[in-house]
Amino acid sequence: MPELPEVETVRLGLAPVMEGASIDKVELRRPDLRTAFPPDFARRLKGRKIVSLGRRAKYLLADLDSGDVLVMHLGMSGSFRIEADGKAAIAGTYYHPRSERRSHDHVVFHLSNGATVVFNDPRRFGLMDLVPRADLEASKHFHAMGIEPLGNVLDGGTLATLFAGRSAPLKSVLMDQRLVAGLGNIYVCEALWRSELSPVRKAGTLATKAGKPKPGADRLAVAIREVLQAAIAAGGSSLRDHRRTDGELGDFQHEFAVYDRESEPCLRPGCHGVIRRMVQAGRSTFYCPVCQR
């Protein structure tokens, strides 16, 4: 599944085309994706202006002039294709190219600026919904969602509060979307390496008995921000199905320090460790057993 930086690169690719445009027509080529479309979905979108295109965790949010928000999720294999001026480009970044088979084009947005935005999703795990802006945070999509890792709230103190008293492994807690939203396997592995923290360390050890942050919590907060910002700047990691809106592949996979580098030497200066792989909660974890404590 695309992670936060990949979704952000999709947003950046779609925004110049969608923001400020009105939706002339919506084609629904099937009755559902992961779930059924809301009642009168196409009719409620027709004629509406897209005021802004935002992101919350791994969701794309299109604010409409009706007061509704078009909530979109890529799922496992979803992507957006922009067709304009006789050209077509996929929005986002991927290691293995996204599907361009027209049989998987399930939702088509015809915009007032002449562009067409197509949602293609072979596995149909994507999602689209309409939610009033006033009800967004309380909606089924976001009511239990944690803090934004790139928001102003994330710092060592916040992590210490979230982690205090937790005996679960640090990596598992970071992957809990109810605590920090949008972090996935790749960037958690990378952030833990940058902060020199073991993925199996108990999360609660980053907080004092009084709930204050230990140095590791401060390092981790900085590392999370840095790795996400670096990945966004590189256009994402281009793993499996993620592709940018311009159809180009992301480059951050070339900057991986640990992810998918099993048996290779640790890149930290002065460290003579070798990257190992283990499985946690069914997901591959890559780490250095020497410098990550």
Side-chain angles (χ1 to χ4, degrees):
M1 180 181 292
E3 298 190 22
L4 186 154
E6 287 74 53
V7 177
E8 180 65 11
T9 64
V10 172
R11 186 194 70 80
L12 292 171
L14 289 174
V17 174
M18 297 187 74
E19 288 186 336
S22 295
I23 302 172
D24 287 344
K25 178 183 177 182
V26 178
E27 294 180 53
L28 300 181
R29 297 181 176 175
R30 56 175 300 107
D32 58 13
L33 293 169
R34 185 195 320 168
T35 60
F37 293 108
D40 298 323
F41 183 67
R43 182 189 62 78
R44 291 167 65 190
L45 289 173
K46 184 177 180 179
R48 301 271 58 102
K49 181 179 179 180
I50 302 169
V51 178
S52 63
L53 187 64
R55 179 194 53 75
R56 174 74 165 102
K58 301 177 186 180
Y59 287 82
L60 293 169
L61 306 175
D63 272 276
L64 308 176
D65 63 355
S66 62
D68 286 333
V69 178
L70 171 58
V71 178
M72 300 171 283
H73 196 284
L74 297 173
M76 294 293 291
S77 62
S79 65
F80 286 93
R81 185 175 71 251
I82 299 171
E83 298 179 350
D85 300 323
K87 300 179 180 179
I90 293 178
T93 312
Y94 303 76
Y95 186 67
H96 297 290
R98 268 303 201 228
S99 168
E100 296 187 51
R101 291 181 58 183
R102 299 304 192 262
S103 60
H104 299 311
D105 290 351
H106 302 313
V107 185
V108 182
F109 299 93
H110 298 274
L111 304 181
S112 59
N113 55 16
T116 300
V117 175
V118 181
F119 183 66
N120 182 292
D121 188 2
R123 299 186 187 182
R124 300 199 306 274
F125 288 159
L127 177 147
M128 290 193 187
D129 197 3
L130 275 173
V131 180
R133 165 50 74 175
D135 300 335
L136 192 64
E137 286 301 313
S139 71
K140 61 184 179 182
H141 308 297
F142 306 112
H143 77 278
M145 187 171 284
I147 63 171
E148 274 287 319
L150 289 177
N152 294 330
V153 174
L154 181 71
D155 58 18
T158 300
L159 290 182
T161 299
L162 294 174
F163 294 167
R166 294 182 181 269
S167 60
L170 188 52
K171 187 195 173 192
S172 299
V173 173
L174 285 172
M175 296 278 287
D176 188 340
Q177 301 299 298
R178 297 167 298 180
L179 300 178
V180 182
L183 292 181
N185 196 40
I186 296 171
Y187 300 109
V188 168
C189 288
E190 292 296 308
L192 287 173
W193 180 84
R194 290 189 180 211
S195 55
E196 302 182 55
L197 295 170
S198 169
V200 298
R201 177 174 177 161
K202 292 182 180 180
T205 62
L206 295 189
T208 67
K209 291 183 178 180
K212 300 297 183 180
K214 291 185 178 180
D218 293 322
R219 295 200 309 271
L220 180 57
V222 171
I224 289 171
R225 288 182 180 277
E226 288 181 347
V227 74
L228 292 177
Q229 290 168 344
I232 292 169
S237 294
S238 296
L239 288 176
R240 295 189 177 87
D241 292 321
H242 176 67
R243 184 183 291 271
R244 295 194 310 237
T245 45
D246 60 6
E248 293 299 317
L249 301 178
D251 294 323
F252 192 69
Q253 71 272 17
H254 302 304
E255 299 180 30
F256 286 165
V258 287
Y259 191 84
D260 206 24
R261 295 190 63 246
E262 183 181 9
S263 300
E264 296 183 27
C266 179
L267 298 178
R268 195 181 312 278
C271 179
H272 302 292
V274 175
I275 304 304
R276 291 183 184 174
R277 172 188 171 274
M278 64 179 170
V279 177
Q280 291 179 289
R283 305 295 297 275
S284 291
T285 296
F286 298 90
Y287 69 106
C288 175
V290 174
C291 64
Q292 289 182 249
R293 300 291 183 176

